[in-house]
Amino acid sequence: MTPPSKDLPSYQDVGVHAVTGTSAVELPSALTCTGVSARRLKNGAFNGGVAAATSSEFFKSKSLWKPLAKKWDHRLSEESKARKASSLKGAAKYLATPGLISLGGGLPSSDYFPFEHIEIRVPTVGQFSEAETKLTGQNIKIGKHDVPEGKSAFDLAISLNYGQGTGSAQLLRFVTEHTEIVHNPPYQDWQCIIDVGSTSGLDMLYRIFCERGDHVISEEYTFATAVETAAPLGVKFLGVKIDSEGLIPEDLDQLLVNWDEKARGGRKPFVLYTVPSGQNPTGSTQGKVRREEIYKVAQKHDLLIIEDEPYYFLQMQPYTGPNAPPAPLPATHDEFLNSLVPSLLKMDVDGRVIRMDSFSKVISPGARIGWITASSQICERFVRHCEVSTQNPAGFSQVILHRLLDEHWGHTGYLDWLIFIRKEYTQRRDIILQACEKYLPKELASWTPPAAGMFHWIKIAVEKHPDFGKRKVVEIEDDVFQASVKECVLMSPGSWFAAEKEVEHTQLFFRATFAAAAGSDMTEAIRRFSIALKKVFKWEESN
Amino acid sequence: MTPPSKDLPSYQDVGVHAVTGTSAVELPSALTCTGVSARRLKNGAFNGGVAAATSSEFFKSKSLWKPLAKKWDHRLSEESKARKASSLKGAAKYLATPGLISLGGGLPSSDYFPFEHIEIRVPTVGQFSEAETKLTGQNIKIGKHDVPEGKSAFDLAISLNYGQGTGSAQLLRFVTEHTEIVHNPPYQDWQCIIDVGSTSGLDMLYRIFCERGDHVISEEYTFATAVETAAPLGVKFLGVKIDSEGLIPEDLDQLLVNWDEKARGGRKPFVLYTVPSGQNPTGSTQGKVRREEIYKVAQKHDLLIIEDEPYYFLQMQPYTGPNAPPAPLPATHDEFLNSLVPSLLKMDVDGRVIRMDSFSKVISPGARIGWITASSQICERFVRHCEVSTQNPAGFSQVILHRLLDEHWGHTGYLDWLIFIRKEYTQRRDIILQACEKYLPKELASWTPPAAGMFHWIKIAVEKHPDFGKRKVVEIEDDVFQASVKECVLMSPGSWFAAEKEVEHTQLFFRATFAAAAGSDMTEAIRRFSIALKKVFKWEESN
């Protein structure tokens, strides 16, 4: 087996079989957008019938030169180890018998699905705005029997029946290809499993790996729902210090090196939960080197990394300041993909990263569709869990997303959409930054321009408060929060996002989102927040 | 407070406030289909905006004369007791402040949902078949901004954004009204919560009530997924004997009366899982008296009852035999509703029933939408769980079902659809029964005609097998299964559905579904099964 040459371009679609000596060696052949149709042809017949068993293995490059993922048996929870494959689903193997009539499974007949078709009106590639979609969008009809009628790879008769815990073959093919195009994981046996969104995915991952009394490590400020999902399971979060690039690897290492099982009341942690890009709430983005350092610490302490990346494609154009023209958009798909900080998954030679992707921030939350990418062992445990809980995402969502992403836009059109979305969020971020520069007193408020995501994290110089040292920081925080509401603006207090709830809070932050409000509203909101802040701090411009 | 008179009709919509003495007393006013619009008017403004907080309480009859549900604190698991309300969702109360600009929550803007509209083609009431829908179905357009444009109570901008763990206000209103029309629970503080299907609902209920080492009671043959969902949580199923009407109350009582905590290795069970109508796999349906007896035993032992009812509306027309004309369809909605065996929920004066309903069998499994009905205490714990796992069903599913069920068909049209579906399943059942009567030797096979559901349960006289007593029953079962596959028919062996997996199996059953295969295929399948059965039993017609 020959390792890949470092000189080979990152995104190539070779598909060449070289012969070295007497054994056939398959060269690295990472998928590109343009290689997708050839790959599909090469992979042969597609099985996407009702509740068809499927796997990413059917849709990936064969890359036998890559290492296999590590095994994680020693990390599985009692619950997960005990979970067996469904006996009824085991009977599915007989369904391939030619001429067999099945009175086995309780799948209803599609005759009784009261939908003849559904039609979606969606943007044409390159004309993505709401206004453009009205004018130039396309109506796409999804019929009940499109597959037997040769109109599509997916239809209502299939998508609206029961499915598999993996998600449908049709959508799994798309996300597997997309994942290979963007991340091309450097180990062999990675797979994707479609879930009903990353909150559900995270709940399952905790239950697959953690026992009561365990700790999960994260940034010191983190996604509140991640903490609240873990807490009732008896799993506590531990915060690691952050800087403008997020989680500090040395602090992570020290926490683990100095772990005292008795003092801490739990075994040494082995799960790191991190949001590398546009972290919620701090908006910080780990650079490439930072990610490599974090990965090395994970290797040193044999951690599993849950890489939660809803904002990965909301990595923005660089901030050019209040009066400079915006940075130019990427000219090609390659330029776009190369402009993204490489994911932890992309550097994961061990199969220790469980990446969570989601369509919530880039298509719509109401689709309730995300996916994980992880080693086949972890994916298998995950699917077993889906089978006895969420089963699979809604068929309406799956068939609509498949028709839009796979058959209408295709991989290149989807990347164009992502470039569009990121440009829009860049503009929104710039508005809020300009408002902050205009209204917030520098002496009281400071920030790093977010490089990704939806959140702007404002540090308040709490030591400037007249009562600093006399009152608790969370009391001052609450004063600012209440004064803001009085001024008719809602900002999220930083303490809501503390990884460790019981530790006394000594810093003062507020999180503002630039995702939803209209531009002029955002500016006005920051103006109001400034008034509230100055009032609470008894601050006058002359200060 | 005056208790309801027993002479009042079951489904009335009084809405009258009578005055007795000095205090106003509200008479019982159960909702009927025709009373829905008056009720909505009376309830006033409907709040169905993006992620609007909602509750069944907004949509129910006020029935202050009914008793309140019992409290279940002593039954909650450690996990469920520890689950707190989300701090971020707590901030939602400020959103009502007039003029407030929120930079709080990370809700994306609907500007970036790439769907201008979706359109569905669905049956017109009374012309429900697939062929009729092609000809006379209606196209219904669901726009992005239908709500501000005054076209509908629900649109894509709302449904495709984040939602609440209760499900959307729009769909929750429909299912709450539907539940009141059909079941009118006899206690005050019942509510509905929409979930992503009953498998997920059941998984959550186990986690809300059970600890490792607990037992759940069910019919001795039960839905395999219910057992497989519980097993990894350390929760074992215990089977209670059944007859043609399902679970035998005396056997349930005896199991509990004789419970020996030490011998059993677990505390006395307090959760009964039952499928009262068209039980899977036995097809049995508990009659009204049977249900009352089961409820009494539940009261005696303070059980919670999980009433899993996917097939409730597939209660069929009576079986009239091979050559008799089919029984006439119900002439009115009241006649239809009165023809259904009353649910356990309908007799639940204590709030001890947690009913699980699902659209999977009557609309489509791919909607991934069901709902629970239970006391407000249990619903609150359930919602807290949804918030940190599934969140809410897909917006596509919710908005499509709402448009179809609420705004297109309405409650009466939906009941008409259910009457149609039940007629179709009646015909399918009759085909399989006629095939069994024709092909299966009476001496080897016996059955009770199913009165509901999708399943026909065939008992095989295992004692007629030449090796009976010499070989295990499951070995003979496997012989029949393998011989059937050889004859090109798949039937599900009864042992797959045993509640207690480790107990040796002494009876021989096969389950056939009449849900999916075409009529002629079902007949042929039974013919083939008969051949296989006779071969294994070395049976000749002359016997």
Side-chain angles (χ1 to χ4, degrees), chain A residues 169-191:
Chain A
Q170 288 81 354
L171 195 59
L172 186 66
R173 178 168 66 176
F174 182 84
V175 303
T176 302
E177 291 165 350
H178 173 79
T179 299
E180 189 175 340
I181 290 168
V182 178
H183 308 287
N184 188 22
Y187 67 99
Q188 209 180 111
D189 48 335
W190 63 273
Q191 296 181 353

Side-chain angles (χ1 to χ4, degrees), chain A residues 79 101 103-105 116-117 119 121 130 144 160 162 199-200 207 361 366 389 391 395 490 511 513 516, chain B residues 79 101 103-105 107 112 116-117 119 121 130 144 160 162 199-200 207 361 366 389 391 395 490 511 513:
Chain A
E79 173 181 327
I101 304 172
L103 305 183
E116 154 81 9
H117 74 245
E119 181 191 86
R121 185 174 178 85
E130 206 174 90
K144 203 191 244 188
L160 296 186
Y162 283 103
T199 306
S200 170
R207 296 183 194 273
K361 302 302 194 291
S389 57
Q391 296 212 19
L490 187 72
R511 187 194 78 172
T513 175
Chain B
E79 173 180 327
I101 304 172
L103 305 184
L107 298 182
Y112 311 132
E116 153 80 10
H117 74 246
E119 182 191 87
R121 184 173 178 86
E130 206 175 89
K144 205 192 242 186
L160 296 187
Y162 283 104
T199 306
S200 170
R207 296 184 194 273
K361 302 301 195 293
S389 57
Q391 297 211 19
L490 188 71
R511 187 193 80 172
T513 175

Side-chain angles (χ1 to χ4, degrees), chain A residues 239-288:
Chain A
V240 164
K241 294 223 176 314
I242 54 174
D243 61 16
S244 62
E245 278 200 60
L247 194 146
I248 302 175
E250 293 76 16
D251 197 54
L252 172 65
D253 184 47
Q254 283 308 301
L255 174 74
L256 292 163
V257 164
N258 299 321
W259 189 261
D260 179 339
E261 201 160 308
K262 267 200 185 148
R264 292 286 195 164
R267 58 180 169 162
K268 188 176 161 184
F270 57 89
V271 176
L272 170 65
Y273 169 82
T274 184
V275 182
S277 312
Q279 199 251 1
N280 182 359
T282 67
S284 63
T285 297
Q286 299 163 4
K288 179 167 185 262

